[in-house]
């Protein structure tokens, strides 16, 4: 059961779900940059007044958000031009970003617990880290919406094997 597909050549010929994924990726990338860059710059300016161990988890979270947002924008532009590789990148980057953000928060909270009179319970550390990632990384989490659109059945012909036939 092999289907011969020809890649669309214009924006109007692209499937609606792919167009929606491109617009969502652009919007999430822009929103991520608008929220993460000023906070990261603020953290850099504040790094002289706090210890590096205190600022490192937050700086890691925001630098991961910046990289994920830039990746979203690059992938959206490549998808718009007919690229096929961004589908895999857009699928993997949010998952890796969430793991890195969560690990940075867990390690930062465990480290900050060393200076308290009593040790923080590990369940509290995990819950606090998850809450931080869910609130600060919402733009990274929402990228799973265009991922679903790009892997849907309607988008499959666009990403399937390309025909060698040329259309006039």
């Amino acid at each position: 059961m092999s289907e011969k597909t020809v890649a669309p050549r214009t924006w109007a010929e692209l499937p609606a779900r792919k167009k929606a994924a491109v617009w969502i990726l652009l919007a999430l990338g822009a929103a991520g940059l608008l929220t993460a860059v000023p906070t990261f710059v603020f953290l850099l300016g504040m790094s002289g007044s706090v210890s590096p161990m205190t600022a490192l988890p937050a700086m890691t979270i925001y630098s991961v958000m910046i990289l994920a947002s830039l990746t979203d924008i690059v992938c959206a532009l490549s998808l718009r031009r007919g690229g096929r590789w961004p589908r895999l990148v857009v699928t993997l980057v949010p998952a890796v970003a969430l793991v890195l953000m969560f690990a940075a928060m867990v390690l930062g909270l465990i480290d900050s617990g060393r200076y308290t009179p009593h040790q923080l319970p590990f369940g509290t550390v995990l819950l606090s880290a998850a809450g931080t990632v869910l609130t600060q990384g919402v733009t990274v989490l929402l990228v799973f919406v265009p991922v679903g659109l790009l892997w849907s059945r309607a988008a499959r012909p666009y990403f399937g094997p390309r025909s060698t036939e040329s259309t006039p």
Side-chain angles (χ1 to χ4, degrees):
M1 184 172 166
S2 67
E3 297 178 19
K4 290 187 177 184
T5 60
V6 177
R9 301 204 172 159
T10 65
W11 178 253
E13 294 175 357
L14 294 178
R17 290 183 185 208
K18 187 176 170 297
K19 286 181 191 177
V22 168
W23 284 112
I24 292 169
L25 283 171
L26 283 173
L28 289 175
L33 286 177
L34 286 174
T35 58
V37 170
T39 307
F40 186 75
V41 170
F42 173 73
L43 287 170
L44 282 176
M46 200 177 83
S47 63
S49 61
V50 295
S51 71
M53 293 303 291
T54 304
L56 191 60
M59 289 176 68
T60 303
I61 284 178
Y62 287 104
S63 63
V64 167
M65 284 178 57
I66 290 169
L67 291 174
S69 297
L70 288 173
T71 303
D72 292 344
I73 292 171
V74 168
C75 288
L77 295 175
S78 179
L79 281 169
R80 189 179 187 288
R81 291 187 181 124
R84 296 168 63 181
W85 61 269
R87 182 167 76 155
L88 183 61
V89 172
V90 168
T91 304
L92 295 176
V93 165
V96 171
L98 289 173
V99 168
L100 287 174
M101 292 167 67
F102 186 75
M105 278 310 299
V106 167
L107 294 173
L109 288 169
I110 288 173
D111 186 58
S112 68
R114 289 192 299 165
Y115 304 110
T116 59
H118 52 47
Q119 191 67 19
L120 293 172
F122 194 65
T124 304
V125 168
L126 290 179
L127 188 61
S128 178
T132 302
V133 170
L134 287 175
T135 56
Q136 300 301 316
V138 71
T139 56
V140 176
L141 281 169
L142 289 176
V143 171
F144 288 114
V145 172
V147 166
L149 291 172
L150 292 174
W151 287 96
S152 69
R153 188 177 297 254
R156 194 174 297 165
Y158 178 78
F159 292 106
R162 292 199 177 157
S163 174
T164 56
E165 299 174 7
S166 63
T167 57

